Amino acid sequence: MHGETVLRVRDLSVQFDSIDGTVHAVNNVSFDLKRGETLGIVGESGSGKSVSMMSLVRLIAEPPGKITSGSAMFITSDGEVDLLSLSRRQLSRLRGDRIGFIFQDPMSSLNPLMSVGAQIAESVRKHTQLQRAAAKTRAIELLEHVGIPGAKQRYDNYPHQFSGGMRQRVMIAIAISCNPDILIADEPTTALDVTVQAQIADLTNRLCKELSISVIWISHDLGVVAGLADQLMVMYGGTVVEYGEVEQVYAHPRHPYTIGLLGALPKLSKTEERLVNIAGAPPSLFSPPTQCPFADRCPWVFERCESERPALYDVGGEGRAGVVRSDDATDGRGSSDGWVDSHLTACFYDLERNRRRDADEPVAVRPGALAHEEQG
Amino acid sequence: MSVQPYFQVENLKQYFPITRGVIFSRTVGAIKAVDDVSFEIPAGETLGLVGESGCGKSTTGRSVLRLYEPTAGRVQLGDIDVTSLSATELRELRPKMQMIFQDSYSSLNPRHSVGKIVAEPMVIQGESDGARTRARVQELLELVGLNPDHMKRFPHEFSGGQRQRIGIARALALNPSFVVCDEPISALDVSIQAQVVNLLAELQKELGLTYLFIAHDLSMVRHISHRIAVMYLGKLMESATYDELFSAPLHPYTQSLMSAVPIPEPNIEKSRTRVILSGDVPSPVKPPTGCVFHTRCPFATDKCAAEVPEFREIRSGHRVACHHVDDPAIGPTIDAQREEIVTSIESAAGYGPDRTFSGAST
């Protein structure tokens, strides 16, 4: 079962109409999610990470939101469906059943007037044939499963009687109640304290591995994602700027934004004189995507970065730098399965370096360069 | 210690009454938000105060400035006893001690221009006179890295990081010597956090400021602090210099806190030793008896539930509130856990590529 793609998203774009103009919230996002794997999505606020995932299941307000392009193939043993072309009714049958959710703030996503047990049972009854009594038994089982002590007594408690961490456990119980194929976790640990955050992250990870659920873990915390994700997607200004295996991206970040972001984190293990300072502020999303979103803050900017938006290029290994990666790539390696195993980045740096080296022009060397770069 | 520390807090207590009844309201109990906290900060240094939400760290920050009237204890700034000052004297001392708030949305008046916000402390202290104030505001905005021409703009026109800079400029308007920074960066994005922390560190060097830096993020606190104090349910659990604390965290709570902080290195994060505490922080209305941490402590014994541990000095400058850190029975187990946690964190130190981020070198 492992290794198959469960969700294949291509070229997703989302816009929002506002009084001040159109907000280009998500631009041409593509990724694959494999069964049983965790895809970490990191980015700052406004980078489009939540909007892109929520738009997949149409949990954005439409209007003002509008999905302007893209497809999202959801692949199960029953066949393939494009989530973006489903009707509302078909989608609502999938949501909570095949696709589960955990949100950042459990207090506002749980119904304060319903006991937590009833909320879990509600989801179970909606998506299965179970009757009232059986659904209750299942709900108690789920509460035990997510580590709530005295589940039977706690069944009739209301959300306000639970602490933040316990509420998030209830959310997890609801999310996994129907053994979904995909779990979308939108910053589930952000509102929690660090010791509770560790509990919740561990619990989610353990349960999803047990049940072979694919997870999309949205976070702004590179530390949390490092411990959970198999694949990592870094978003900035509504686009994917880097995508690859998590070890690879942390060890050899190729996009200047990722390099800066990792350097801006204070280390628990050592003290630095000064943290990396990414000057400036995130881009306005009002302007249509015609240049690299990071160009204004990038210390290695070329003229080309300001006139053209870079596509995702493969920088996976030696000599591979600069291969355009998309489904219709001409090099014949662009099969749809090629995505996951490669390390992609939307930056002209490698291309420009190659061109300049061939033309004998001076090339700026970045720190953390790969071995084959330094030789050149 | 031979040098008198610049800022000193002794046995600070801050209790908030719990009342019942509307008309004949009576006190039925007290929330011990801060209970017997003592620390000191030498001039020009930073004390990082860390803890989870609800542990009383922000209350401590406010009590030491007498924004809340402390229930008991002594706070001393230089050779002035802050706790014994009258209202008038306190107002005269205010310019020396200022505060930077966490939430820059609610701490800046949305109807005032930036110029007015930054000048307000000077107006309140009666130091304002037209042209000089204007020049001072411009100077301050420049100091915190904002464009002085933006004086006439309003807070909503600025991003979160810029608004935090406005808050910093306002706190510096009266040339303070002591600043309480109450989680000034927790509402900001990572790349912006680094900008603000670097700014605070530069200002400290330039102006010789003394900071009480309150945060819940241990790694950020390590970066900016000279000394660190760890708080839990209104009490200090451990305090030491940052080097000492990170190389030898003695208290089980500090250890689990350190092991819970995620490390942004996948190989290390996925394999390292973690002590995951069970449960949540207990309610401060009914704190556990004895050591407040005993309900979640993996090493707790009957003694912990019965006796309040003394906050005592175990090594020079390193104070811990725990019965068992140096007892021969359980001490070695705590030590072993410490070794494991520290080793797994330190293995991350040499790890990862160079992430220098600056202009290209050819």
Side-chain angles (χ1 to χ4, degrees):
Chain A
M1 286 279 266
H2 277 259
E4 304 158 24
T5 305
V6 256
L7 182 67
R8 184 187 301 138
V9 175
R10 290 292 177 273
D11 206 27
L12 177 73
S13 297
V14 182
Q15 296 180 354
F16 287 88
D17 290 324
S18 75
I19 302 170
D20 303 318
T22 306
V23 178
H24 301 262
V26 177
N27 302 302
N28 311 97
V29 166
S30 301
F31 65 89
D32 280 354
L33 179 66
K34 294 207 163 179
R35 184 169 301 278
E37 288 201 339
T38 301
L39 171 70
I41 301 185
V42 285
E44 296 177 84
S45 32
S47 62
K49 54 191 193 306
S50 291
V51 171
S52 53
M53 294 309 127
M54 291 305 137
S55 64
L56 290 180
V57 279
R58 307 259 276 286
L59 286 179
I60 55 168
E62 291 175 275
K66 204 169 80 188
I67 297 169
T68 52
S69 76
S71 67
M73 300 310 291
F74 178 50
I75 305 153
T76 55
S77 45
D78 311 334
E80 294 189 18
V81 276
D82 185 356
L83 294 176
L84 301 183
S85 66
L86 290 181
S87 69
R88 294 247 154 212
R89 171 175 286 222
Q90 287 169 313
L91 253 181
S92 80
R93 224 174 287 144
L94 281 181
R95 291 195 289 238
D97 183 21
R98 306 311 339 137
I99 304 175
F101 303 91
I102 314 175
F103 298 104
Q104 177 173 349
D105 181 5
M107 195 58 209
S108 57
S109 20
L110 289 172
N111 185 343
L113 298 177
M114 241 174 123
S115 77
V116 292
Q119 296 187 50
I120 301 172
E122 183 192 30
S123 167
V124 173
R125 287 190 70 196
K126 183 166 165 27
H127 297 291
T128 63
Q129 304 299 319
L130 292 184
Q131 291 306 305
R132 193 176 290 269
K136 182 170 178 178
T137 318
R138 170 86 178 125
I140 291 173
E141 203 180 288
L142 282 161
L143 280 174
E144 273 165 10
H145 221 64
V146 295
I148 289 183
K152 216 168 204 160
Q153 293 77 44
R154 290 299 221 160
Y155 182 90
D156 292 316
N157 280 174
Y158 287 86
H160 73 267
Q161 292 167 297
F162 278 50
S163 69
M166 301 236 292
R167 277 181 217 139
Q168 204 56 287
R169 285 170 193 266
V170 173
M171 285 297 292
I172 294 172
I174 296 175
I176 63 165
S177 61
C178 299
N179 277 330
D181 293 298
I182 300 175
L183 176 70
I184 299 180
D186 190 359
E187 307 226 16
T189 60
T190 308
L192 305 173
D193 276 317
V194 64
T195 53
V196 182
Q197 168 177 304
Q199 292 170 9
I200 296 296
D202 268 29
L203 175 73
T204 317
N205 198 28
R206 188 167 50 77
L207 289 176
C208 291
K209 289 276 181 276
E210 257 172 50
L211 303 168
S212 222
I213 300 172
S214 314
V215 184
I216 297 177
W217 189 283
I218 304 170
S219 179
H220 68 268
D221 188 330
L222 282 157
V224 174
V225 172
L228 293 173
D230 300 299
Q231 302 285 323
L232 181 69
M233 188 161 118
V234 183
M235 289 192 72
Y236 183 79
T239 48
V240 179
V241 293
E242 188 150 6
Y243 180 72
E245 264 172 37
V246 70
E247 283 85 8
Q248 176 74 11
V249 175
Y250 279 81
H252 300 287
R254 302 297 296 150
H255 195 280
Y257 175 66
T258 319
I259 298 174
L261 203 57
L262 286 168
L265 289 173
K267 310 283 179 298
L268 197 58
S269 47
K270 60 177 172 190
T271 312
E272 275 141 309
E273 189 52 29
R274 216 183 127 81
L275 294 171
V276 162
N277 215 340
I278 308 181
S284 146
L285 297 172
F286 285 115
S287 47
T290 51
Q291 63 158 352
C292 171
F294 195 61
D296 297 338
R297 301 172 82 184
C298 182
W300 303 288
V301 66
F302 298 102
E303 302 93 60
R304 191 175 172 187
C305 306
E306 280 160 356
S307 58
E308 200 182 323
R309 174 158 288 218
L312 281 170
Y313 297 99
D314 192 335
V315 289
E318 300 208 6
R320 288 212 284 156
V323 180
V324 185
R325 197 53 150 201
S326 73
D327 282 346
D328 51 13
T330 47
D331 67 345
R333 292 189 298 145
S335 71
S336 49
D337 287 323
W339 285 83
V340 173
D341 301 315
S342 39
H343 182 180
L344 308 167
T345 181
C347 181
F348 284 131
Y349 178 80
D350 289 292
L351 288 185
E352 275 295 300
R353 192 202 58 234
N354 289 352
R355 189 186 66 74
R356 292 191 176 208
R357 200 166 46 201
D358 294 343
D360 266 342
E361 286 174 49
V363 189
V365 176
R366 293 198 311 208
L370 295 175
H372 69 272
E373 273 175 48
E374 275 149 7
Q375 289 156 16
Chain B
M1 203 183 266
S2 55
V3 191
Q4 177 75 7
Y6 181 65
F7 188 77
Q8 201 169 7
V9 174
E10 271 170 37
N11 306 94
L12 182 76
K13 289 182 183 167
Q14 180 72 58
Y15 296 171
F16 295 106
I18 306 169
T19 55
R20 241 338 111 70
V22 182
I23 300 167
F24 301 105
S25 88
R26 59 201 191 278
T27 307
V28 292
I31 294 176
K32 298 180 177 179
V34 180
D35 198 9
D36 211 2
V37 162
S38 309
F39 57 83
E40 47 207 36
I41 318 175
E45 291 201 357
T46 303
L47 176 79
L49 190 59
V50 216
E52 297 180 89
S53 47
C55 73
K57 52 192 193 305
S58 292
T59 309
T60 308
R62 287 168 182 240
S63 305
V64 299
L65 294 183
R66 278 183 71 185
L67 294 178
Y68 296 137
E69 210 51 61
T71 311
R74 220 167 69 94
V75 177
Q76 191 154 338
L77 181 80
D79 41 20
I80 304 161
D81 182 357
V82 179
T83 30
S84 68
L85 295 181
S86 70
T88 332
E89 290 166 327
L90 185 63
R91 174 167 264 204
E92 281 165 20
L93 188 68
R94 278 271 175 246
K96 289 275 143 250
M97 32 184 228
Q98 291 286 318
M99 185 152 181
I100 300 167
F101 298 92
Q102 170 175 5
D103 184 359
S104 57
Y105 283 87
S106 55
S107 63
L108 301 178
N109 188 335
R111 289 166 180 260
H112 283 185
S113 69
V114 169
K116 194 165 176 187
I117 289 171
V118 176
E120 189 147 29
M122 297 182 255
V123 174
I124 291 171
Q125 288 291 335
E127 289 177 15
S128 109
D129 71 45
R132 259 223 338 259
T133 308
R134 261 181 77 89
R136 173 74 180 142
V137 170
Q138 283 181 342
E139 186 189 314
L140 283 164
L141 289 179
E142 228 162 302
L143 186 70
V144 297
L146 290 171
N147 186 344
D149 300 339
H150 292 172
M151 257 175 80
K152 291 213 172 67
R153 296 198 181 176
F154 289 85
H156 73 265
E157 295 174 74
F158 294 88
S159 68
Q162 286 173 317
R163 269 202 299 270
Q164 204 51 273
R165 287 169 193 264
I166 298 169
I168 296 172
R170 175 177 61 185
L172 296 179
L174 296 167
N175 287 318
S177 55
F178 176 67
V179 181
V180 174
C181 310
D182 187 4
E183 304 217 28
I185 48 163
S186 26
L188 304 174
D189 276 320
V190 177
S191 69
I192 309 295
Q193 280 187 357
Q195 290 178 6
V196 172
V197 165
N198 285 338
L199 173 69
L200 285 172
E202 275 158 26
L203 290 171
Q204 176 167 51
K205 259 186 220 148
E206 216 169 296
L207 308 171
L209 301 171
T210 306
Y211 289 144
L212 174 63
F213 192 91
I214 299 165
H216 62 261
D217 180 349
L218 257 183
S219 40
M220 194 53 97
V221 165
R222 163 160 203 174
H223 182 77
I224 194 164
S225 312
H226 300 86
R227 298 184 62 78
I228 295 172
V230 181
M231 214 170 162
Y232 184 80
L233 268 188
K235 287 181 181 289
L236 286 187
M237 295 284 116
E238 184 161 8
S239 82
T241 62
Y242 75 90
D243 266 343
E244 172 81 11
L245 190 86
F246 280 92
S247 58
L250 296 176
H251 198 285
Y253 178 61
T254 317
Q255 294 178 359
S256 54
L257 206 56
M258 275 175 69
S259 81
V261 174
I263 294 178
E265 297 294 352
N267 297 327
I268 288 155
E269 177 67 12
K270 282 175 182 164
S271 63
R272 78 194 170 112
T273 317
R274 308 186 82 155
V275 184
I276 295 181
L277 294 177
S278 56
D280 293 279
V281 184
S283 152
V285 180
K286 249 195 256 161
T289 54
C291 172
V292 283
F293 184 57
H294 86 262
T295 51
R296 298 175 82 196
C297 183
F299 306 105
T301 59
D302 293 344
K303 189 181 180 191
C304 302
E307 281 173 50
V308 179
E310 191 197 341
F311 191 51
R312 61 212 161 106
E313 191 153 356
I314 295 233
R315 304 179 190 181
S316 151
H318 193 153
R319 295 205 276 175
V320 185
C322 178
H323 290 305
H324 294 305
V325 280
D326 53 354
D327 86 14
I330 304 174
T333 336
I334 303 180
D335 268 355
Q337 174 176 307
R338 181 194 83 210
E339 292 277 319
E340 265 184 67
I341 290 169
V342 171
T343 321
S344 64
I345 288 174
E346 278 177 355
S347 60
Y351 193 83
D354 179 8
R355 277 150 191 169
T356 330
F357 189 78
S358 58
S361 56
T362 35

